[in-house]
Amino acid sequence: MGLLTIGAFAKASRLSPKALRLYDELGLLPPARVDPHSGYRLYDPAQLERARLVAWLRRLGMPLARIRAVCELEPGAAAREVRAYWAQVEADTAARRDLAAFLVDQLSQRSQLARQSQLSQQSGKDIVMSSAHSTLGVRYAVLSDRGSVRMSNEDSGYAGPRLLAVADGFGGGRHASEAAIEALKPLEAEVPGAELLSALEDAAHRAHASVCELAASDPALRGVGTTLTAMVWSGSRLGLVHIGDSRTYLLRDGELFQITHDHTVVRSLLDEGRITAAEAASHPGRAMLLRAMGGGAAFEPDLALRDALAGDRYLLCSDGLSGVVPAEEIRRVLASVADPGDAALELIALANRAGGPDNVTCGVAHVVDGAEPPAA
């Protein structure tokens, strides 16, 4: 078969002539030959396979620069790249879905309040609105230990009536983790549920700025940074901010869920199917962070809003716990130990019995009915 005109090739590849001209200019899909007299682009039928791959990847929404890289790979490696891209798309979509649900809920509540106010004005009577979310209390504790190997403790933790936070510092002793948590403490003031995400985002930026200022203040602290995982309560709503590889677990109805996503190289490789879970457990780069506050990592915190239920038990912990204590042991302690402080103490003991290779910090919160008095 001879060379195809751009029109014939466009029809066969399901790409428009305009797209083919663009891909030629970008070096993504150059024609086999360009007629020196007419300037017409001519394509080899053997290029159809690459052209169809480009068309499919564009339908996925993949950026052209990444498509170019995928097209240069052998099929197995190309498949892994597509899997990795789609895993990121799904993660981004889940985050946007949570935000959309939050906005719909908030706007619906405002609409209902406006309608009730209008009816009240029309009738001349006061109308008492009951909250859509009952008020809950929290019993909480946080403990930190340097572990069995490290000479100092770079972790920091905080527990209060409205704020629970864990930070795992690196590169400069405790300074970075303490700076991050100090920047969050204003969240102990009551934050309306409708403002939780905005307040958390602002606090995260303050914390990041504090860590960056610390790094700039002294050449010896140039590489300091920290992870941060924190939650703030407002009624039965809680806001969660997370960056790095400290974790938040939720025990609900006897089941344990990890509700944060590790921002590590190994977690990324695992999500993309490049390594197995068994390989991830012993991977030499499992502590390498893709996101953190300071330390040269990207600053992209995850933000989420959740509904809490009476009986929920939350654990925030540094990787000194999650890296050595199996999830089933964590579940057992959270489910069986009635006091948050005792639970934190037992979890730290488990980490140390497993070798205690790192600092370990545990913040535990038990959600109780508002009628039950919260206690530290």
Side-chain angles (χ1 to χ4, degrees), residues 7-239:
F9 191 79
K11 184 176 181 180
S13 64
R14 298 181 183 176
L15 291 168
S16 70
K18 181 179 179 180
L20 288 173
R21 286 190 286 270
L22 173 63
Y23 299 159
D24 178 17
E25 293 170 5
L26 296 174
L28 179 60
L29 192 61
R33 188 167 75 87
V34 177
D35 188 284
H37 303 292
S38 65
Y40 287 167
R41 293 171 172 84
L42 301 171
Y43 293 83
D44 192 313
Q47 292 180 280
L48 282 171
E49 183 176 355
R50 181 182 177 114
R52 287 167 180 156
L53 176 60
V54 171
W56 291 332
L57 294 176
R58 286 299 290 158
R59 288 174 191 164
L60 284 179
M62 185 178 286
L64 290 173
R66 192 160 185 174
I67 290 175
R68 183 187 296 112
V70 170
C71 287
E72 298 303 323
L73 299 173
E74 56 87 16
R80 289 191 291 273
E81 283 299 319
V82 174
R83 184 185 299 116
Y85 169 75
W86 195 248
Q88 186 59 53
V89 169
E90 289 184 323
D92 292 343
T93 300
R96 290 196 296 270
R97 182 173 59 243
D98 290 344
L99 179 57
F102 165 71
L103 291 172
V104 168
D105 183 58
Q106 293 303 313
L107 292 171
S108 297
Q109 287 188 37
R110 290 180 188 176
S111 175
Q112 184 180 13
L113 286 170
R115 177 60 177 162
Q116 292 290 346
S117 176
Q118 183 182 29
L119 290 173
S120 176
Q121 292 172 6
Q122 290 173 353
S123 66
K125 298 178 180 178
D126 291 333
I127 296 177
V128 179
M129 289 291 294
S130 60
S131 172
H133 304 283
S134 60
T135 301
L136 298 174
V138 182
R139 301 175 64 239
Y140 52 86
V142 66
L143 292 173
S144 188
D145 188 84
R146 67 180 176 87
S148 303
V149 175
R150 299 290 178 91
M151 298 302 295
S152 61
N153 190 352
E154 295 186 325
D155 286 4
S156 295
Y158 177 85
R162 292 191 176 89
L163 172 66
L164 185 68
V166 166
D168 182 353
F170 55 87
R174 258 179 108 91
H175 303 294
S177 61
E178 287 179 340
I181 286 185
E182 193 64 31
L184 293 186
K185 288 184 179 178
L187 293 173
E188 275 288 9
E190 188 169 358
V191 179
E195 299 174 15
L196 265 181
L197 284 186
S198 296
L200 270 172
E201 185 174 26
D202 290 345
H205 280 274
R206 287 197 306 271
H208 182 240
S210 295
V211 173
C212 291
E213 288 171 10
L214 178 67
S217 68
D218 185 341
L221 299 176
R222 188 171 299 159
V224 299
T226 186
T227 71
L228 180 67
T229 299
M231 51 176 50
V232 179
W233 276 269
S234 178
S236 67
R237 282 284 175 87
L238 64 87

Side-chain angles (χ1 to χ4, degrees), residues 246-258:
S246 295
R247 291 182 178 179
T248 300
Y249 291 97
L250 164 64
L251 182 81
R252 176 174 286 176
D253 297 329
E255 290 191 61
L256 186 71
F257 306 92
Q258 180 184 335

Side-chain angles (χ1 to χ4, degrees), residues 310-362:
D312 286 349
R313 295 186 174 186
Y314 287 90
L315 166 68
L316 278 61
C317 65
S318 60
D319 66 337
L321 178 76
S322 58
V324 296
V325 177
E328 178 52 35
E329 281 294 280
I330 294 174
R331 189 205 68 79
R332 179 188 62 77
V333 172
L334 291 178
S336 62
V337 180
D339 180 75
D342 291 342
L345 192 63
E346 185 167 339
L347 289 168
I348 287 174
L350 287 174
N352 285 328
R353 283 201 292 272
D358 200 355
N359 308 147
V360 56
T361 301
C362 297

